[in-house]
Amino acid sequence: CCSAPLNVFTFQEGTVPTIEDFETMIGFTLNDAKINGNSIEFSNKNYVIETSKFEENLNLVSIYSQAKVLENGVFGNCENILSAEFPALTDVGRDVMNGCYQMTSFIAPNLSTYVNRAMGVTSETNSGQAGQAFLANTGLTTYTLETTYVPDAAFGSCDNLISLYFPNATALAQQVATECTNLTTVSAPLATSLGNAIFLNCTSLTNINFPSVQTLGDSVFRSCTSLAIIDLPQAVTLGNTVFQNCYSATTYNLPIATTFGIGVFINNTSLVSITLPSALNMGADSFFGCNSMTTVSLPEVLSIGDNSFNGATSLTSINLPKVTNLGSTPFADGTFLGITGNTIAFTLKSGLEIDQDVIDLVANNTVTLTLV
Protein backbone atom coordinates (compact mmCIF):
# COMPACT_ATOMS: atom_id res chain seq x y z
CA CYS A 1 0.00 0.00 0.00
CA CYS A 2 2.84 2.39 0.58
CA SER A 3 6.57 2.72 -0.08
CA ALA A 4 9.19 1.97 2.53
CA PRO A 5 10.44 4.99 4.49
CA LEU A 6 13.72 6.35 3.25
CA ASN A 7 15.60 5.33 6.37
CA VAL A 8 14.39 3.05 9.16
CA PHE A 9 16.27 1.74 12.19
CA THR A 10 14.43 -0.79 14.36
CA PHE A 11 15.18 -1.53 18.01
CA GLN A 12 14.53 -4.28 20.47
CA GLU A 13 11.94 -3.73 23.14
CA GLY A 14 13.23 -1.41 25.81
CA THR A 15 14.83 1.98 25.75
CA VAL A 16 14.71 3.62 22.32
CA PRO A 17 17.31 6.34 21.66
CA THR A 18 15.90 9.78 21.01
CA ILE A 19 16.30 11.61 17.75
CA GLU A 20 18.92 13.75 19.48
CA ASP A 21 20.84 10.60 20.39
CA PHE A 22 20.81 9.59 16.74
CA GLU A 23 22.03 12.97 15.62
CA THR A 24 24.98 12.61 17.96
CA MET A 25 25.75 9.09 16.76
CA ILE A 26 25.61 9.72 13.02
CA GLY A 27 26.97 13.24 13.02
CA PHE A 28 24.35 15.24 11.14
CA THR A 29 20.85 16.64 11.63
CA LEU A 30 17.95 14.30 10.99
CA ASN A 31 15.54 16.61 9.22
CA ASP A 32 11.91 15.57 9.59
CA ALA A 33 12.86 12.54 11.68
CA LYS A 34 10.24 10.85 13.79
CA ILE A 35 9.94 7.92 16.14
CA ASN A 36 7.43 5.31 15.10
CA GLY A 37 7.06 2.58 17.70
CA ASN A 38 10.45 0.90 17.95
CA SER A 39 11.69 2.52 14.75
CA ILE A 40 13.14 5.87 13.83
CA GLU A 41 12.51 7.25 10.35
CA PHE A 42 14.26 10.11 8.58
CA SER A 43 14.41 11.46 5.07
CA ASN A 44 18.05 12.17 4.22
CA LYS A 45 18.78 10.54 0.87
CA ASN A 46 22.42 11.24 0.10
CA TYR A 47 24.87 10.79 2.93
CA VAL A 48 27.81 8.93 4.36
CA ILE A 49 27.49 7.02 7.62
CA GLU A 50 30.85 7.62 9.22
CA THR A 51 33.33 5.18 10.69
CA SER A 52 32.11 3.16 13.71
CA LYS A 53 29.05 5.38 14.29
CA PHE A 54 26.79 2.51 15.35
CA GLU A 55 29.50 0.18 16.64
CA GLU A 56 28.32 -2.14 19.45
CA ASN A 57 24.78 -0.72 19.40
CA LEU A 58 22.92 -3.72 20.79
CA ASN A 59 19.50 -2.11 20.26
CA LEU A 60 19.63 -2.36 16.48
CA VAL A 61 17.54 -5.24 15.10
CA SER A 62 16.86 -4.27 11.48
CA ILE A 63 18.10 -1.50 9.23
CA TYR A 64 16.69 0.14 6.13
CA SER A 65 18.68 3.08 4.81
CA GLN A 66 19.22 5.08 1.65
CA ALA A 67 22.84 5.65 2.67
CA LYS A 68 25.22 5.58 -0.28
CA VAL A 69 28.39 5.01 1.74
CA LEU A 70 29.07 2.94 4.85
CA GLU A 71 32.51 3.61 6.25
CA ASN A 72 34.71 1.24 8.25
CA GLY A 73 33.08 -0.64 11.11
CA VAL A 74 29.80 1.28 10.96
CA PHE A 75 27.76 -1.56 12.44
CA GLY A 76 30.62 -3.53 13.94
CA ASN A 77 29.56 -5.89 16.75
CA CYS A 78 25.90 -4.91 16.55
CA GLU A 79 25.14 -8.42 17.67
CA ASN A 80 21.35 -8.27 17.47
CA ILE A 81 20.93 -7.08 13.88
CA LEU A 82 18.85 -9.60 11.93
CA SER A 83 18.53 -7.83 8.58
CA ALA A 84 19.92 -4.84 6.72
CA GLU A 85 18.76 -3.27 3.46
CA PHE A 86 20.55 -0.48 1.61
CA PRO A 87 18.86 0.14 -1.77
CA ALA A 88 21.13 3.09 -2.66
CA LEU A 89 24.43 1.80 -1.28
CA THR A 90 27.41 2.01 -3.65
CA ASP A 91 30.47 1.98 -1.36
CA VAL A 92 31.42 0.11 1.79
CA GLY A 93 34.52 0.18 3.94
CA ARG A 94 36.13 -2.53 6.05
CA ASP A 95 34.37 -4.56 8.73
CA VAL A 96 31.06 -2.82 8.10
CA MET A 97 29.04 -5.69 9.60
CA ASN A 98 31.84 -7.51 11.41
CA GLY A 99 30.45 -9.31 14.44
CA CYS A 100 26.76 -9.15 13.48
CA TYR A 101 26.42 -12.82 14.34
CA GLN A 102 22.66 -13.09 13.93
CA MET A 103 22.28 -11.24 10.65
CA THR A 104 20.80 -13.48 7.95
CA SER A 105 19.87 -10.89 5.31
CA PHE A 106 22.02 -8.17 3.76
CA ILE A 107 20.53 -6.51 0.67
CA ALA A 108 22.43 -3.91 -1.35
CA PRO A 109 21.48 -4.28 -5.03
CA ASN A 110 23.50 -1.28 -6.21
CA LEU A 111 26.72 -1.97 -4.36
CA SER A 112 29.37 -1.27 -6.96
CA THR A 113 32.68 -0.46 -5.29
CA TYR A 114 34.47 -0.68 -1.99
CA VAL A 115 36.26 2.16 -0.26
CA ASN A 116 38.79 2.42 2.51
CA ARG A 117 38.18 5.71 4.24
CA ALA A 118 40.89 5.89 6.87
CA MET A 119 39.80 9.36 7.93
CA GLY A 120 37.07 11.81 7.12
CA VAL A 121 34.36 11.26 4.55
CA THR A 122 36.30 11.97 1.37
CA SER A 123 38.48 9.39 -0.30
CA GLU A 124 38.89 7.87 -3.72
CA THR A 125 38.21 4.18 -4.17
CA ASN A 126 41.12 2.08 -2.96
CA SER A 127 40.99 -1.44 -4.33
CA GLY A 128 44.15 -2.56 -2.54
CA GLN A 129 43.00 -2.17 1.07
CA ALA A 130 39.31 -1.94 0.39
CA GLY A 131 36.36 -3.94 1.55
CA GLN A 132 38.23 -6.21 3.90
CA ALA A 133 35.71 -8.65 5.30
CA PHE A 134 32.87 -6.17 5.31
CA LEU A 135 30.55 -9.04 6.16
CA ALA A 136 32.92 -10.97 8.43
CA ASN A 137 31.52 -12.93 11.34
CA THR A 138 27.90 -12.48 10.35
CA GLY A 139 25.10 -15.03 10.26
CA LEU A 140 24.85 -14.83 6.46
CA THR A 141 24.85 -18.18 4.70
CA THR A 142 24.51 -17.04 1.08
CA TYR A 143 25.51 -13.86 -0.69
CA THR A 144 25.44 -12.46 -4.22
CA LEU A 145 27.78 -9.58 -5.00
CA GLU A 146 27.18 -7.94 -8.37
CA THR A 147 30.37 -5.87 -8.62
CA THR A 148 32.80 -6.36 -11.51
CA TYR A 149 35.75 -6.44 -9.11
CA VAL A 150 35.85 -8.29 -5.79
CA PRO A 151 38.52 -6.70 -3.54
CA ASP A 152 40.99 -8.09 -1.03
CA ALA A 153 39.56 -10.11 1.86
CA ALA A 154 35.99 -9.04 1.13
CA PHE A 155 34.57 -12.13 2.83
CA GLY A 156 37.55 -13.35 4.84
CA SER A 157 36.55 -15.45 7.88
CA CYS A 158 32.84 -15.29 7.10
CA ASP A 159 32.37 -18.52 9.00
CA ASN A 160 28.70 -19.07 8.23
CA LEU A 161 28.82 -18.50 4.48
CA ILE A 162 27.78 -21.53 2.46
CA SER A 163 27.63 -20.03 -1.04
CA LEU A 164 28.99 -17.00 -2.90
CA TYR A 165 27.91 -15.81 -6.32
CA PHE A 166 29.70 -13.12 -8.33
CA PRO A 167 27.68 -12.88 -11.58
CA ASN A 168 29.47 -9.82 -13.00
CA ALA A 169 32.97 -10.10 -11.54
CA THR A 170 35.81 -10.18 -14.03
CA ALA A 171 38.52 -10.30 -11.34
CA LEU A 172 38.76 -11.52 -7.77
CA ALA A 173 41.54 -9.97 -5.70
CA GLN A 174 43.50 -11.67 -2.90
CA GLN A 175 42.15 -13.64 0.07
CA VAL A 176 38.57 -12.92 -0.90
CA ALA A 177 37.11 -15.79 1.11
CA THR A 178 40.09 -17.12 3.07
CA GLU A 179 39.16 -19.30 6.06
CA CYS A 180 35.46 -19.49 5.15
CA THR A 181 35.33 -22.98 6.55
CA ASN A 182 31.64 -23.68 5.77
CA LEU A 183 31.72 -22.37 2.21
CA THR A 184 30.66 -25.13 -0.20
CA THR A 185 29.81 -23.35 -3.46
CA VAL A 186 31.39 -20.46 -5.38
CA SER A 187 30.51 -19.17 -8.82
CA ALA A 188 32.04 -16.36 -10.89
CA PRO A 189 31.24 -17.23 -14.51
CA LEU A 190 32.88 -14.12 -16.03
CA ALA A 191 36.02 -13.93 -13.90
CA THR A 192 39.27 -14.19 -15.84
CA SER A 193 41.71 -13.89 -12.91
CA LEU A 194 41.85 -15.18 -9.35
CA GLY A 195 44.26 -13.57 -6.87
CA ASN A 196 46.42 -15.21 -4.23
CA ALA A 197 44.93 -17.42 -1.50
CA ILE A 198 41.33 -16.57 -2.37
CA PHE A 199 39.91 -19.81 -0.97
CA LEU A 200 42.79 -20.82 1.28
CA ASN A 201 41.59 -23.25 3.97
CA CYS A 202 38.00 -23.34 2.72
CA THR A 203 37.80 -26.91 3.94
CA SER A 204 34.15 -27.51 2.96
CA LEU A 205 34.39 -26.21 -0.61
CA THR A 206 33.05 -28.80 -3.06
CA ASN A 207 31.60 -26.87 -6.02
CA ILE A 208 33.43 -24.24 -8.07
CA ASN A 209 32.31 -22.53 -11.27
CA PHE A 210 35.03 -20.52 -12.99
CA PRO A 211 34.59 -21.31 -16.70
CA SER A 212 36.42 -18.16 -17.89
CA VAL A 213 39.41 -18.03 -15.54
CA GLN A 214 42.75 -17.74 -17.31
CA THR A 215 45.17 -16.82 -14.53
CA LEU A 216 45.37 -18.19 -10.98
CA GLY A 217 47.61 -16.67 -8.32
CA ASP A 218 49.40 -18.55 -5.57
CA SER A 219 47.55 -20.91 -3.19
CA VAL A 220 44.12 -20.16 -4.67
CA PHE A 221 42.62 -23.49 -3.56
CA ARG A 222 45.30 -24.54 -1.10
CA SER A 223 43.97 -26.83 1.64
CA CYS A 224 40.49 -27.00 0.13
CA THR A 225 40.39 -30.52 1.47
CA SER A 226 36.86 -31.41 0.24
CA LEU A 227 37.31 -30.29 -3.37
CA ALA A 228 37.19 -33.36 -5.59
CA ILE A 229 36.51 -32.12 -9.14
CA ILE A 230 38.44 -29.17 -10.53
CA ASP A 231 37.26 -27.93 -13.93
CA LEU A 232 39.08 -24.84 -15.24
CA PRO A 233 38.74 -25.12 -19.02
CA GLN A 234 40.29 -21.72 -19.84
CA ALA A 235 43.11 -21.67 -17.28
CA VAL A 236 46.51 -20.89 -18.82
CA THR A 237 48.82 -19.85 -15.97
CA LEU A 238 48.80 -21.30 -12.46
CA GLY A 239 50.84 -19.85 -9.61
CA ASN A 240 52.58 -21.66 -6.78
CA THR A 241 50.84 -24.27 -4.55
CA VAL A 242 47.46 -23.62 -6.20
CA PHE A 243 46.08 -27.05 -5.25
CA GLN A 244 48.41 -27.99 -2.40
CA ASN A 245 46.78 -30.24 0.19
CA CYS A 246 43.64 -30.77 -1.88
CA TYR A 247 43.45 -34.25 -0.40
CA SER A 248 40.14 -35.16 -2.05
CA ALA A 249 40.96 -34.01 -5.59
CA THR A 250 40.61 -36.85 -8.08
CA THR A 251 39.80 -35.05 -11.34
CA TYR A 252 41.45 -32.10 -13.05
CA ASN A 253 40.36 -30.54 -16.33
CA LEU A 254 43.09 -28.11 -17.38
CA PRO A 255 43.12 -28.60 -21.16
CA ILE A 256 44.98 -25.43 -22.20
CA ALA A 257 47.08 -24.67 -19.11
CA THR A 258 50.70 -24.13 -20.11
CA THR A 259 52.58 -22.81 -17.07
CA PHE A 260 52.58 -24.30 -13.58
CA GLY A 261 54.34 -22.75 -10.60
CA ILE A 262 56.04 -24.47 -7.69
CA GLY A 263 54.20 -27.26 -5.89
CA VAL A 264 50.89 -26.93 -7.71
CA PHE A 265 49.69 -30.44 -6.79
CA ILE A 266 51.62 -31.10 -3.55
CA ASN A 267 50.04 -33.80 -1.37
CA ASN A 268 47.08 -34.51 -3.63
CA THR A 269 46.83 -37.91 -2.01
CA SER A 270 43.61 -38.98 -3.80
CA LEU A 271 44.90 -38.19 -7.28
CA VAL A 272 45.35 -41.40 -9.28
CA SER A 273 45.84 -40.24 -12.87
CA ILE A 274 46.47 -36.88 -14.50
CA THR A 275 46.99 -35.63 -18.04
CA LEU A 276 47.98 -32.05 -18.76
CA PRO A 277 47.84 -31.91 -22.55
CA SER A 278 49.15 -28.37 -23.05
CA ALA A 279 51.55 -27.94 -20.13
CA LEU A 280 54.98 -26.65 -21.13
CA ASN A 281 56.67 -25.99 -17.82
CA MET A 282 56.23 -27.58 -14.39
CA GLY A 283 57.76 -25.95 -11.33
CA ALA A 284 59.63 -27.74 -8.55
CA ASP A 285 57.68 -30.07 -6.23
CA SER A 286 54.85 -30.31 -8.75
CA PHE A 287 53.53 -33.71 -7.63
CA PHE A 288 55.44 -34.00 -4.35
CA GLY A 289 53.67 -36.45 -2.03
CA CYS A 290 51.02 -37.57 -4.53
CA ASN A 291 51.34 -41.10 -3.19
CA SER A 292 48.26 -42.57 -4.95
CA MET A 293 49.14 -41.34 -8.42
CA THR A 294 49.85 -44.20 -10.81
CA THR A 295 49.76 -42.42 -14.18
CA VAL A 296 51.04 -39.04 -15.30
CA SER A 297 51.08 -37.79 -18.88
CA LEU A 298 52.71 -34.50 -19.83
CA PRO A 299 53.02 -34.79 -23.61
CA GLU A 300 54.20 -31.21 -24.29
CA VAL A 301 56.21 -30.44 -21.17
CA LEU A 302 59.77 -29.24 -21.81
CA SER A 303 61.06 -28.81 -18.27
CA ILE A 304 60.26 -30.15 -14.81
CA GLY A 305 61.58 -28.69 -11.57
CA ASP A 306 63.37 -30.43 -8.70
CA ASN A 307 61.50 -32.98 -6.57
CA SER A 308 58.58 -33.01 -9.00
CA PHE A 309 57.63 -36.65 -8.31
CA ASN A 310 59.28 -36.98 -4.92
CA GLY A 311 57.08 -39.29 -2.83
CA ALA A 312 54.80 -40.25 -5.73
CA THR A 313 55.33 -43.81 -4.59
CA SER A 314 52.63 -45.51 -6.71
CA LEU A 315 53.77 -44.38 -10.17
CA THR A 316 53.58 -47.06 -12.87
CA SER A 317 53.28 -44.93 -16.03
CA ILE A 318 55.21 -41.75 -16.84
CA ASN A 319 54.85 -39.99 -20.20
CA LEU A 320 57.39 -37.21 -20.79
CA PRO A 321 58.14 -37.39 -24.52
CA LYS A 322 59.45 -33.81 -24.93
CA VAL A 323 61.18 -33.10 -21.63
CA THR A 324 64.70 -31.72 -21.98
CA ASN A 325 65.28 -30.94 -18.30
CA LEU A 326 64.47 -33.26 -15.40
CA GLY A 327 65.25 -31.03 -12.46
CA SER A 328 67.64 -28.10 -12.45
CA THR A 329 70.83 -30.14 -13.10
CA PRO A 330 71.93 -33.40 -14.77
CA PHE A 331 72.65 -34.67 -11.28
CA ALA A 332 70.24 -36.02 -8.66
CA ASP A 333 67.53 -33.41 -8.08
CA GLY A 334 65.10 -35.63 -6.18
CA THR A 335 62.81 -35.85 -9.20
CA PHE A 336 61.81 -39.47 -8.49
CA LEU A 337 62.98 -39.76 -4.90
CA GLY A 338 61.18 -42.39 -2.81
CA ILE A 339 59.84 -44.41 -5.77
CA THR A 340 61.04 -47.97 -5.29
CA GLY A 341 59.97 -51.48 -6.28
CA ASN A 342 57.50 -50.45 -8.98
CA THR A 343 57.04 -51.71 -12.51
CA ILE A 344 57.07 -48.53 -14.59
CA ALA A 345 56.44 -47.74 -18.25
CA PHE A 346 58.49 -44.60 -18.93
CA THR A 347 58.32 -42.63 -22.20
CA LEU A 348 61.19 -40.17 -22.59
CA LYS A 349 62.73 -37.99 -25.26
CA SER A 350 65.39 -39.67 -27.39
CA GLY A 351 68.83 -38.13 -27.07
CA LEU A 352 68.17 -36.63 -23.63
CA GLU A 353 71.38 -36.03 -21.74
CA ILE A 354 71.99 -38.79 -19.20
CA ASP A 355 70.32 -37.63 -16.00
CA GLN A 356 71.06 -39.03 -12.57
CA ASP A 357 67.36 -38.89 -11.68
CA VAL A 358 66.58 -41.34 -14.51
CA ILE A 359 69.50 -43.54 -13.49
CA ASP A 360 68.20 -43.67 -9.92
CA LEU A 361 64.66 -44.47 -11.08
CA VAL A 362 65.91 -47.37 -13.23
CA ALA A 363 68.12 -48.63 -10.41
CA ASN A 364 65.28 -48.77 -7.90
CA ASN A 365 62.43 -50.02 -10.09
CA THR A 366 61.65 -52.27 -13.03
CA VAL A 367 61.51 -49.73 -15.84
CA THR A 368 60.51 -50.24 -19.46
CA LEU A 369 62.01 -47.21 -21.15
CA THR A 370 60.58 -46.03 -24.48
CA LEU A 371 62.54 -43.33 -26.32
CA VAL A 372 60.65 -41.20 -28.85
Side-chain angles (χ1 to χ4, degrees):
C1 67
C2 53
S3 60
L6 292 175
N7 298 274
V8 177
F9 292 86
T10 305
F11 298 86
Q12 290 180 317
E13 296 295 334
T15 302
V16 178
T18 65
I19 291 173
E20 290 75 17
D21 291 333
F22 261 94
E23 290 178 340
T24 298
M25 284 190 289
I26 63 179
F28 61 86
T29 301
L30 302 178
N31 297 322
D32 303 319
K34 63 180 180 178
I35 292 176
N36 181 8
N38 278 357
S39 297
I40 186 166
E41 304 174 10
F42 52 99
S43 58
N44 301 70
K45 293 184 180 181
N46 303 314
Y47 69 94
V48 173
I49 300 182
E50 298 174 359
T51 298
S52 303
K53 286 298 182 181
F54 293 94
E55 188 173 21
E56 297 183 0
N57 188 324
L58 301 182
N59 290 314
L60 286 171
V61 175
S62 65
I63 303 166
Y64 178 96
S65 174
Q66 290 285 349
K68 291 190 173 182
V69 176
L70 303 178
E71 291 195 326
N72 300 339
V74 171
F75 299 102
N77 295 314
C78 292
E79 297 179 6
N80 293 311
I81 290 179
L82 302 177
S83 63
E85 183 174 359
F86 299 94
L89 188 66
T90 57
D91 299 339
V92 296
R94 300 192 310 270
D95 300 322
V96 167
M97 292 287 178
N98 189 0
C100 297
Y101 302 110
Q102 299 189 70
M103 187 173 70
T104 57
S105 176
F106 182 90
I107 300 172
N110 295 309
L111 185 61
S112 59
T113 58
Y114 293 78
V115 293
N116 174 26
R117 288 176 165 79
M119 54 187 301
V121 297
T122 305
S123 171
E124 65 274 10
T125 297
N126 181 335
S127 62
Q129 296 288 324
Q132 293 185 5
F134 83 98
L135 291 174
N137 302 312
T138 66
L140 283 177
T141 58
T142 63
Y143 194 68
T144 298
L145 181 64
E146 298 187 1
T147 60
T148 57
Y149 176 77
V150 182
D152 292 356
F155 299 92
S157 300
C158 291
D159 293 341
N160 292 307
L161 272 177
I162 294 174
S163 67
L164 282 171
Y165 181 41
F166 306 116
N168 301 315
T170 56
L172 278 67
Q174 302 184 61
Q175 300 177 317
V176 166
T178 297
E179 306 281 356
C180 291
T181 54
N182 286 304
L183 186 67
T184 63
T185 303
V186 179
S187 179
L190 302 181
T192 58
S193 66
L194 302 178
N196 296 340
I198 290 180
F199 304 109
L200 177 67
N201 292 329
C202 290
T203 53
S204 298
L205 188 62
T206 55
N207 301 300
I208 59 172
N209 181 38
F210 297 106
S212 304
V213 162
Q214 299 171 18
T215 304
L216 290 85
D218 298 341
S219 301
V220 172
F221 297 104
R222 183 171 175 173
S223 297
C224 291
T225 54
S226 298
L227 193 60
I229 298 174
I230 296 165
D231 184 17
L232 299 169
Q234 297 301 313
V236 175
T237 303
L238 287 78
N240 301 327
T241 62
V242 172
F243 305 112
Q244 181 173 341
N245 298 336
C246 288
Y247 300 130
S248 298
T250 59
T251 304
Y252 286 92
N253 182 35
L254 298 165
I256 65 172
T258 60
T259 304
F260 293 75
I262 296 170
V264 171
F265 302 99
I266 286 180
N267 293 333
N268 275 218
T269 53
S270 294
L271 183 62
V272 174
S273 176
I274 189 166
T275 298
L276 301 173
S278 302
L280 298 177
N281 301 288
M282 305 295 299
D285 304 324
S286 290
F287 299 98
F288 188 104
C290 294
N291 56 17
S292 297
M293 188 170 65
T294 61
T295 304
V296 59
S297 181
L298 307 173
E300 300 297 325
V301 162
L302 302 176
S303 65
I304 291 179
D306 297 352
N307 294 301
S308 286
F309 301 101
N310 190 335
T313 54
S314 298
L315 272 176
T316 58
S317 177
I318 307 170
N319 183 36
L320 304 173
K322 294 187 178 182
V323 164
T324 57
N325 294 300
L326 280 167
S328 57
T329 73
F331 307 104
D333 299 308
T335 304
F336 302 108
L337 192 65
I339 303 174
T340 60
N342 295 354
T343 299
I344 300 173
F346 191 3
T347 302
L348 198 59
K349 181 180 176 67
S350 179
L352 184 68
E353 182 179 356
I354 297 299
D355 189 292
Q356 188 64 44
D357 292 300
V358 176
I359 294 172
D360 291 345
L361 184 70
V362 171
N364 294 313
N365 300 271
T366 302
V367 178
T368 300
L369 192 61
T370 301
L371 301 179
V372 295

Coordinates of all heavy atoms in Angstrom, one line a residue, residues 154-185:
A154 N 37.4 -9.5 1.0 CA 36.0 -9.0 1.1 C 35.1 -9.9 2.0 O 34.3 -9.4 2.8 CB 35.3 -8.9 -0.2
F155 N 35.4 -11.2 2.0 CA 34.6 -12.1 2.8 C 35.4 -13.0 3.7 O 35.0 -14.0 4.2 CB 33.7 -13.0 1.9 CG 32.8 -12.3 1.1 CD1 33.1 -11.9 -0.2 CD2 31.5 -12.0 1.5 CE1 32.3 -11.2 -1.0 CE2 30.6 -11.2 0.7 CZ 31.0 -10.9 -0.5
G156 N 36.7 -12.6 4.0 CA 37.6 -13.4 4.8 C 36.9 -13.7 6.2 O 36.4 -12.9 6.9
S157 N 37.0 -15.0 6.6 CA 36.6 -15.4 7.9 C 35.1 -15.3 8.1 O 34.6 -15.1 9.2 CB 37.3 -14.8 9.0 OG 38.7 -15.0 8.9
C158 N 34.3 -15.3 7.0 CA 32.8 -15.3 7.1 C 32.4 -16.7 7.4 O 32.1 -17.5 6.4 CB 32.2 -14.7 5.8 SG 32.5 -13.0 5.6
D159 N 32.5 -17.1 8.6 CA 32.4 -18.5 9.0 C 31.1 -19.2 8.6 O 31.0 -20.4 8.4 CB 32.6 -18.7 10.5 CG 34.0 -18.3 10.9 OD1 34.9 -18.3 10.1 OD2 34.2 -18.0 12.1
N160 N 30.0 -18.4 8.5 CA 28.7 -19.1 8.2 C 28.3 -19.1 6.7 O 27.4 -19.8 6.4 CB 27.6 -18.3 9.0 CG 27.7 -18.5 10.5 OD1 27.8 -19.6 11.0 ND2 27.7 -17.4 11.2
L161 N 29.1 -18.5 5.9 CA 28.8 -18.5 4.5 C 28.9 -19.9 3.9 O 29.8 -20.6 4.1 CB 29.8 -17.6 3.7 CG 29.5 -16.1 3.6 CD1 30.6 -15.4 2.9 CD2 28.1 -15.9 2.8
I162 N 27.8 -20.2 3.1 CA 27.8 -21.5 2.5 C 28.0 -21.3 1.0 O 28.6 -22.2 0.3 CB 26.4 -22.2 2.7 CG1 26.3 -22.6 4.2 CG2 26.3 -23.5 1.9 CD1 25.0 -23.2 4.6
S163 N 27.5 -20.2 0.4 CA 27.6 -20.0 -1.0 C 27.9 -18.6 -1.4 O 27.4 -17.7 -0.7 CB 26.4 -20.5 -1.8 OG 25.3 -19.7 -1.5
L164 N 28.7 -18.3 -2.4 CA 29.0 -17.0 -2.9 C 28.8 -17.0 -4.4 O 29.2 -17.9 -5.1 CB 30.4 -16.6 -2.6 CG 30.8 -16.2 -1.2 CD1 32.3 -16.0 -1.0 CD2 30.1 -14.8 -0.9
Y165 N 28.2 -15.9 -4.9 CA 27.9 -15.8 -6.3 C 28.3 -14.4 -6.8 O 27.9 -13.4 -6.2 CB 26.4 -16.0 -6.6 CG 26.0 -16.0 -8.1 CD1 26.8 -16.5 -9.1 CD2 24.8 -15.4 -8.4 CE1 26.5 -16.5 -10.4 CE2 24.5 -15.3 -9.8 CZ 25.3 -15.8 -10.7 OH 24.9 -15.8 -12.1
F166 N 29.2 -14.4 -7.8 CA 29.7 -13.1 -8.3 C 29.3 -13.1 -9.8 O 30.2 -13.4 -10.7 CB 31.2 -13.0 -8.1 CG 31.7 -13.2 -6.7 CD1 32.5 -14.3 -6.4 CD2 31.3 -12.3 -5.7 CE1 32.9 -14.4 -5.1 CE2 31.8 -12.4 -4.4 CZ 32.6 -13.5 -4.1
P167 N 28.1 -12.7 -10.2 CA 27.7 -12.9 -11.6 C 28.4 -12.0 -12.6 O 28.5 -12.3 -13.8 CB 26.2 -12.6 -11.5 CG 26.0 -11.7 -10.3 CD 27.0 -12.2 -9.3
N168 N 28.9 -10.8 -12.1 CA 29.5 -9.8 -13.0 C 31.0 -9.6 -12.8 O 31.6 -8.9 -13.6 CB 28.8 -8.5 -12.8 CG 27.3 -8.5 -13.1 OD1 26.9 -9.1 -14.0 ND2 26.5 -7.9 -12.2
A169 N 31.5 -10.3 -11.9 CA 33.0 -10.1 -11.5 C 33.9 -10.6 -12.7 O 33.7 -11.7 -13.1 CB 33.3 -10.8 -10.2
T170 N 34.8 -9.8 -13.1 CA 35.8 -10.2 -14.0 C 37.1 -10.5 -13.3 O 38.0 -11.1 -14.0 CB 36.0 -9.1 -15.1 OG1 36.4 -7.9 -14.5 CG2 34.7 -8.9 -15.9
A171 N 37.3 -10.0 -12.1 CA 38.5 -10.3 -11.3 C 38.2 -10.4 -9.9 O 37.4 -9.7 -9.3 CB 39.5 -9.2 -11.6
L172 N 38.8 -11.4 -9.2 CA 38.8 -11.5 -7.8 C 40.1 -11.3 -7.2 O 41.1 -11.9 -7.7 CB 38.3 -12.9 -7.4 CG 36.8 -13.2 -7.4 CD1 36.2 -13.1 -8.8 CD2 36.5 -14.6 -6.8
A173 N 40.2 -10.4 -6.3 CA 41.5 -10.0 -5.7 C 42.1 -11.1 -4.8 O 41.7 -12.2 -4.9 CB 41.4 -8.6 -5.0
Q174 N 42.9 -10.7 -3.8 CA 43.5 -11.7 -2.9 C 42.7 -12.0 -1.7 O 41.9 -11.1 -1.2 CB 44.9 -11.2 -2.4 CG 45.8 -10.8 -3.6 CD 47.2 -10.4 -3.1 OE1 47.9 -11.2 -2.5 NE2 47.6 -9.2 -3.4
Q175 N 42.7 -13.2 -1.2 CA 42.2 -13.6 0.1 C 40.7 -13.3 0.2 O 40.2 -13.0 1.3 CB 43.0 -13.0 1.2 CG 44.4 -13.4 1.2 CD 45.2 -12.8 2.3 OE1 45.1 -11.6 2.5 NE2 46.1 -13.5 2.9
V176 N 40.0 -13.3 -0.9 CA 38.6 -12.9 -0.9 C 37.7 -13.7 0.1 O 36.9 -13.1 0.8 CB 38.0 -13.1 -2.3 CG1 36.5 -12.9 -2.3 CG2 38.6 -12.0 -3.2
A177 N 37.9 -15.0 0.2 CA 37.1 -15.8 1.1 C 38.0 -16.7 1.9 O 37.6 -17.8 2.3 CB 36.1 -16.6 0.3
T178 N 39.2 -16.3 2.3 CA 40.1 -17.1 3.1 C 39.4 -17.5 4.4 O 38.8 -16.7 5.0 CB 41.4 -16.3 3.4 OG1 42.0 -16.1 2.1 CG2 42.3 -17.1 4.3
E179 N 39.6 -18.8 4.8 CA 39.2 -19.3 6.1 C 37.6 -19.3 6.2 O 37.1 -19.3 7.3 CB 39.8 -18.5 7.2 CG 41.3 -18.4 7.2 CD 42.0 -19.6 7.8 OE1 41.3 -20.5 8.2 OE2 43.2 -19.7 7.7
C180 N 36.9 -19.3 5.1 CA 35.5 -19.5 5.2 C 35.2 -21.0 5.2 O 35.0 -21.6 4.2 CB 34.8 -18.8 3.9 SG 34.8 -17.1 3.9
T181 N 35.2 -21.5 6.4 CA 35.3 -23.0 6.6 C 34.0 -23.7 6.3 O 34.1 -25.0 6.1 CB 35.8 -23.3 8.0 OG1 34.9 -22.7 8.9 CG2 37.2 -22.8 8.2
N182 N 32.9 -23.0 6.1 CA 31.6 -23.7 5.8 C 31.2 -23.4 4.3 O 30.2 -23.9 3.9 CB 30.5 -23.2 6.7 CG 30.7 -23.8 8.1 OD1 30.7 -25.1 8.2 ND2 30.7 -23.0 9.1
L183 N 32.0 -22.7 3.6 CA 31.7 -22.4 2.2 C 31.8 -23.6 1.4 O 32.8 -24.4 1.4 CB 32.7 -21.3 1.7 CG 32.5 -20.8 0.3 CD1 31.2 -19.9 0.3 CD2 33.7 -19.9 -0.2
T184 N 30.7 -23.9 0.6 CA 30.7 -25.1 -0.2 C 30.6 -24.8 -1.7 O 31.1 -25.6 -2.5 CB 29.4 -26.0 0.1 OG1 28.2 -25.3 -0.2 CG2 29.5 -26.4 1.6
T185 N 30.1 -23.6 -2.1 CA 29.8 -23.3 -3.5 C 30.2 -21.9 -3.8 O 29.9 -21.0 -3.1 CB 28.3 -23.5 -3.8 OG1 27.9 -24.9 -3.5 CG2 28.0 -23.3 -5.3

